[in-house]
């Protein structure tokens, strides 16, 4: 079996904006500790788009789980993506 890849990616941001339906980065604001938020370019893709991208790069997606914030009023959701490098025959 090939190497394992595990990553997390934003699914829904603090404002409740969900993933994009196209493979393109978008600006998101992130906060590191207690510093002022900084803008970053981030891919915020649907689970299906993440799978499509990974398959294009010879990975087989094992699972994509959506992890919600513990606070009921927090809309943030992240994706936990687990994949393996496809073996070559």
């Amino acid at each position: 079996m090939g190497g394992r890849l595990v990553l997390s990616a934003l699914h829904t941001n603090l404002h409740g904006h969900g993933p994009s339906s196209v493979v393109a980065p978008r600006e998101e604001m992130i906060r590191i500790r207690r510093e002022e938020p900084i803008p970053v370019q981030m891919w915020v893709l649907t689970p299906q788009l993440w799978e499509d991208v990974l398959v294009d790069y010879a990975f087989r997606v094992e699972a994509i789980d959506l992890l919600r914030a513990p606070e009921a009023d927090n809309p943030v959701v992240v994706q936990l993506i687990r994949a393996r490098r496809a073996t070559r025959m």
Side-chain angles (χ1 to χ4, degrees):
M1 202 41 93
R4 175 169 245 176
L5 172 68
V6 177
L7 67 113
S8 65
L10 189 63
H11 180 75
T12 305
N13 69 15
L14 187 58
H15 303 291
H17 300 137
S20 299
S21 59
V22 296
V23 179
R26 72 181 192 200
E27 186 172 283
E28 292 289 341
M29 300 298 284
I30 64 168
R31 182 184 300 270
I32 300 174
R33 296 191 185 149
R34 294 171 198 217
E35 301 296 321
E36 288 296 315
I38 57 172
V40 296
Q41 292 295 310
M42 185 178 292
W43 286 8
V44 185
L45 309 178
T46 65
Q48 185 60 58
L49 277 178
W50 275 118
E51 185 167 358
D52 293 347
V53 168
L54 290 168
V55 166
D56 286 348
Y57 285 91
F59 283 88
R60 181 177 49 83
V61 174
E62 296 176 334
I64 299 178
D65 297 311
L66 298 181
L67 307 175
R68 302 188 184 289
E71 304 86 9
D73 62 340
N74 187 341
V76 172
V77 178
V78 297
Q79 298 177 57
L80 178 64
I81 304 167
R82 294 183 300 272
R84 283 199 183 271
R85 179 67 96 173
T87 57
R88 299 182 199 268
M89 296 268 178

